[in-house]
Amino acid sequence: MPGSDIGTAARWLQQGEVVAIPTETVYGLAASMYSRSGIEKIFKVKNRPLSNPLIVHIASIDQLAGLVQDIPEIACQLAVACWPGPLTMVLPKTNQVDPLITAGQSAVAVRVPAHPVTLSLLQDLGFPLVAPSANKYNYISPVTAVAVEEMLGEEIPYILDGGPCTVGIESTIVAFDGNDSVRILRRGGITEEQIAKVTGRPVTQFSEGILHPGKSQKHYSPSTPLFILREWTDLSVIPDELSSVALMMFSDRFEQAPVSRKVKLSVSGDLSEACSRMYNTLYELDKEGHDLILAETFPDEGLGRSLNERLYKAATHR
Ligand code: TXA
Ligand code: MG
C-alpha cells in the first residue's frame, strides 16, 4: 500500500520486512542490510536468482567505513563529487557485509541515493538498506509509486511514495583498478564524461567474464516485443499483419512513420528529460497492449549512451 509516512516505512524495515522506497533513479525494494529474512524476501518477491548481488544504500559517505576497505583515492573523489547521486561504486567488502548481499563475491556495491525522503529514512534508521529496483526480475524498473503498486503491491507491506523519480534510469555502476582507471559495469544516471572529468583518469568498459548486470541476455524489458530503430530502413522489419504498432521517439527522424501511436520523449531534444520519461513511457505502452513497440536510438553521447544500453538490453530485435 502506498503512503508517504517515513515512520511507517522505518517500522516495517526494523521488523525485517521489505518496503519500496523512492530514489532519484528508480524505485527500490529495500530491506535492512542486517536482516537475512528481509534480504531473502527481496529475492523471492522479485523472482531474482541469488547469484545477482544487491546494492547497499547508505545515508552518507561516513557510513562507508565499516562496509568497505582499501578505498582508492579516485573512489573518494567520485564519492565527494557525485554523492548523493546516481553513482554506485563496487569496492572490496569487510566481513560486516553478508555474502548473501554480494552473491558470494568479495566486493560490495554501494551508493548514497539523492532523494530527500529516502535520505531521511536512512538517517532515522541508522543502518544501510539493500535495494534492487522494485520490479520483477528482468521487467522494466518502476519510476512511480503507482507502477510499484501495480507490479508488487500484493506482495509487500508498504510503498513509500516520494513522487516520480527525477533521473528515471538506474545508477551508473563503476569498479576500480587501483587508482589507474575507472571501469563502467553499467551505464546510468552519471555519464562517462562526468566521471572522466572528476577523476582525470581513463574510463573503460566492463570486460566479459566479470559479473555485471548485462550478463543475462534480456533486461529492463516490456512484455510487448521491442524493436530498435536506427534509421528509416529499419522500419522494414515491421511485419505487415500487425494492427497496432507504437513508436517511442527522441528526434524528428521518424515523425512520418506509419504507426498507430507515437510518443516523443522530449520536444526540446533534451536527453535528461528523455531519460526521466523513458521507463514510464515503455511501461505505459506495454500496458496499452500493442503488437509491437519501436524505439528510436539516442545520440551516442552522455545520457544517450546509457539510454541506448537500456534499449539494447530490452530489445527483442536489435
Ligand atoms: O539506481 C539504482 O542503482 C537502483 C536504485 C534502487 O538504487 N538499483 C538498482 O539495483 O538498479 P538492481 O539490483 O536492479 O541493479 C543493480 C545491479 C545488479 O544487476 C547487480 O548485478 C549489480 O548491480 N551489482 C550489485 N552488486 C554488485 C557487485 N558487488 N559487483 C558487481 N555488480 C554488482
Ligand atoms: Mg534492476
Side-chain angles (χ1 to χ4, degrees):
M1 169 193 309
S4 53
D5 186 29
I6 294 175
T8 305
R11 276 190 295 282
W12 283 115
L13 290 162
Q14 280 154 347
Q15 289 165 30
E17 259 298 342
V18 296
V19 168
I21 55 165
T23 84
E24 80 283 26
T25 59
V26 301
Y27 273 75
L29 181 62
S32 161
M33 77 167 278
Y34 300 117
S35 168
R36 264 222 151 197
S37 61
I39 299 168
E40 281 163 358
K41 188 156 181 202
I42 289 177
F43 285 100
K44 188 159 164 268
V45 169
K46 276 186 66 91
N47 291 330
R48 173 169 168 134
L50 289 166
S51 56
N52 199 341
L54 305 176
I55 296 175
V56 176
H57 295 69
I58 55 177
S60 73
I61 201 165
D62 304 334
Q63 269 182 333
L64 253 189
L67 306 179
V68 304
Q69 42 186 337
D70 307 327
I71 311 175
E73 177 58 30
I74 55 172
C76 294
Q77 289 170 354
L78 277 172
V80 169
C82 303
W83 283 354
L87 179 78
T88 296
M89 301 202 287
V90 176
L91 293 164
K93 76 176 193 74
T94 63
N95 58 13
Q96 265 194 48
V97 182
D98 192 324
L100 191 58
I101 296 172
T102 62
Q105 296 186 89
S106 56
V108 63
V110 191
R111 83 178 189 102
V112 180
H115 194 295
V117 170
T118 287
L119 281 176
S120 307
L121 173 67
L122 285 166
Q123 272 147 16
D124 291 356
L125 287 170
F127 54 77
L129 295 172
V130 286
S133 50
N135 50 286
K136 291 284 181 184
Y137 189 56
N138 285 351
Y139 193 62
I140 305 164
S141 304
V143 291
T144 65
V146 170
V148 179
E149 194 182 18
E150 288 170 357
M151 292 180 198
L152 307 178
E154 311 264 277
E155 295 164 82
I156 61 179
Y158 198 62
I159 298 166
L160 184 57
D161 188 349
C165 302
T166 52
V167 173
I169 59 166
E170 294 85 349
S171 59
T172 299
I173 305 181
V174 296
F176 302 92
D177 299 312
N179 273 313
D180 296 337
S181 64
V182 183
R183 199 153 26 101
I184 298 197
L185 306 185
R186 174 180 73 183
R187 291 198 175 100
I190 295 268
T191 64
E192 256 169 86
E193 291 89 338
Q194 286 171 291
I195 293 170
K197 198 167 167 200
V198 172
T199 60
R201 290 284 190 279
V203 180
T204 61
Q205 295 310 305
F206 52 74
S207 52
E208 285 307 320
I210 115 159
L211 186 59
H212 66 78
K215 260 200 145 176
S216 101
Q217 263 292 315
K218 266 182 89 200
H219 247 92
Y220 319 110
S221 321
S223 316
T224 315
L226 179 84
F227 285 13
I228 300 228
L229 280 190
R230 286 181 215 83
E231 51 201 56
W232 188 261
T233 50
D234 291 341
L235 285 167
S236 64
V237 298
I238 310 174
D240 288 338
E241 66 275 13
L242 299 188
S243 56
S244 171
V245 176
L247 167 58
M248 183 172 78
M249 305 186 288
F250 179 66
S251 76
D252 298 333
R253 289 186 293 165
F254 297 101
E255 218 61 91
Q256 305 304 322
V259 295
S260 13
R261 169 118 161 82
K262 291 191 191 96
V263 180
K264 193 162 192 183
L265 290 177
S266 169
V267 174
S268 62
D270 177 39
L271 279 170
S272 306
E273 186 187 7
C275 194
S276 70
R277 292 190 59 207
M278 186 175 85
Y279 275 154
N280 214 47
T281 300
L282 284 175
Y283 181 62
E284 293 298 331
L285 291 177
D286 203 21
K287 282 203 295 188
E288 288 172 16
H290 301 281
D291 298 321
L292 177 65
I293 299 173
L294 299 170
E296 181 190 350
T297 52
F298 298 89
D300 187 28
E301 62 184 27
L303 284 175
R305 288 187 142 192
S306 306
L307 293 171
N308 284 335
E309 190 177 283
R310 295 295 183 285
L311 281 187
Y312 278 88
K313 284 182 187 153
T316 345
H317 186 289
R318 305 178 175 93

